[in-house]
């Protein structure tokens, strides 16, 4: 990015311990990213036994999709960051008296913040899937407020992108808008499946709780007294 912008850049450390801490930070971040699937799997093994079967059936399949969405957010930052650097370098005066000295730690901090923000933001479909299963949102309401959703996507993109340039902001906000409309489709599919289940003979969905058991028969002092046995009346006799 620096070479394409025509800017000569030299790395600068302000303390003799900065190179060591920079390598430690890079190794820590790389280790967390590479072990993320195992961390999520161990967390699921800890939380899963405490859930009901129907809850495990809904939450379990979301784990692979959550990892894929997180990787998609990292990929977006990897592709958008060079463009962001070029836009920021366009404000640098291009003359012989100007020299750029970049602190590697600040660059790594910027990269980490953008990746964390993108990884969390890309979990939007998962959040709307859970809200749709709980019947807290509807596809009709989400389409009614689609303008607010697009505006919120651009606001989030402005927080993730380090520059208010419209090109970079639009580049980051476009996948977020796509995730919003993809969430609308997911909620619509949930509602359609729910309607089909309800239409099959009027039977409730399989996820509905079982009916409560009948009350127990009273016993002991609460039991009513037994009814008396019927007494046969004697037949009348006639005297001639």
């Amino acid at each position: 990015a620096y070479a394409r912008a025509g800017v000569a850049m030299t790395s600068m450390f302000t303390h003799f311990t900065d190179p060591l801490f920079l390598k430690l930070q890079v190794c820590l971040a790389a280790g967390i990213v590479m072990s993320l699937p195992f961390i999520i799997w161990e967390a699921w093994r800890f939380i899963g036994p405490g859930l009901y079967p129907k809850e495990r059936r809904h939450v379990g399949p979301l784990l692979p999709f959550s990892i894929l969405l997180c990787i998609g957010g990292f990929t977006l930052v990897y592709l958008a960051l060079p463009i962001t650097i070029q836009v920021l370098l366009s404000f640098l005066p291009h003359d012989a008296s100007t020299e750029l000295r970049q602190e590697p730690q600040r660059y790594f901090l910027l990269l980490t913040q953008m990746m964390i923000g993108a990884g969390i933001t890309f979990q939007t479909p998962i959040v709307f899937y859970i809200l749709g299963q709980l019947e807290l949102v509807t596809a009709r309401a989400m389409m009614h407020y689609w303008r607010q959703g697009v505006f919120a996507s651009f606001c989030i993109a402005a927080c993730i992108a380090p520059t208010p340039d419209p090109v970079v902001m639009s580049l980051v906000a476009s996948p977020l808008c796509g995730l919003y409309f993809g969430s609308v489709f997911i909620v619509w599919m949930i509602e359609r499946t729910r309607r089909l289940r309800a239409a099959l003979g009027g039977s409730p969905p399989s996820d509905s709780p079982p009916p409560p058991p009948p009350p127990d028969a009273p016993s002991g002092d609460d039991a009513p007294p037994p009814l008396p046995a019927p007494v046969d009346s004697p037949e009348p006799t006639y005297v001639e």
Side-chain angles (χ1 to χ4, degrees):
Y2 294 98
R4 287 195 294 267
V7 177
M9 189 272 296
T10 57
S11 300
M12 179 186 67
F13 294 97
T14 59
H15 200 270
F16 62 90
T17 59
D18 288 346
L20 174 62
F21 285 108
L22 177 62
K23 290 187 178 180
L24 292 177
Q25 292 174 357
V26 172
C27 293
L28 178 62
I32 293 175
V33 172
M34 295 178 64
S35 61
L36 184 61
F38 302 98
I39 295 175
I40 296 177
W41 172 248
E42 292 297 331
W44 169 248
R45 292 185 62 186
F46 178 76
I47 299 174
L51 301 178
Y52 291 105
K54 61 178 182 180
E55 294 174 342
R56 288 198 296 268
R57 187 167 61 251
H58 289 310
V59 177
L62 299 180
L63 298 180
F65 292 102
S66 178
I67 297 175
L68 292 177
L69 290 173
C70 190
I71 294 176
F74 294 162
T75 305
L76 174 65
V77 172
Y78 179 80
L79 297 176
L81 187 58
I83 302 176
T84 304
I85 294 176
Q86 293 183 33
V87 173
L88 293 175
L89 291 177
S90 63
F91 297 96
L92 187 69
H94 295 278
D95 51 25
S97 61
T98 303
E99 182 181 2
L100 177 63
R101 295 182 179 179
Q102 176 66 47
E103 296 182 15
Q105 284 184 318
R106 296 187 61 181
Y107 173 80
F108 180 73
L109 179 61
L110 173 64
L111 177 63
T112 304
Q113 291 176 348
M114 293 180 64
M115 283 193 169
I116 292 176
I120 296 176
T121 307
F122 269 57
Q123 305 301 315
T124 304
I126 304 295
V127 175
F128 279 107
Y129 175 84
I130 297 176
L131 295 178
Q133 288 287 355
L134 298 176
E135 301 184 18
L136 297 178
V137 296
T138 60
R140 183 183 298 273
M142 294 176 65
M143 285 303 300
H144 180 73
Y145 294 102
W146 71 270
R147 296 177 181 84
Q148 289 81 350
V150 172
F151 178 75
S153 299
F154 274 87
C155 291
I156 296 174
C159 297
I160 296 176
T163 171
D165 180 74
V167 177
V168 178
M169 187 183 301
S170 301
L171 181 64
V172 178
S174 297
L176 300 183
C177 294
L179 290 174
Y180 178 81
F181 289 106
S183 302
V184 175
F185 177 75
I186 292 174
V187 175
W188 178 81
M189 288 295 297
I190 294 174
E191 295 175 350
R192 180 175 178 270
T193 304
R194 188 180 297 118
R195 288 194 299 267
L196 290 177
R197 287 179 177 178
L200 293 177
S203 59
S206 58
D207 295 337
S208 59
D216 297 334
S219 59
D221 298 337
D222 297 334
L227 296 176
V231 179
D232 297 335
S233 59
E235 296 182 357
T237 57
Y238 299 97
V239 179
E240 296 179 355

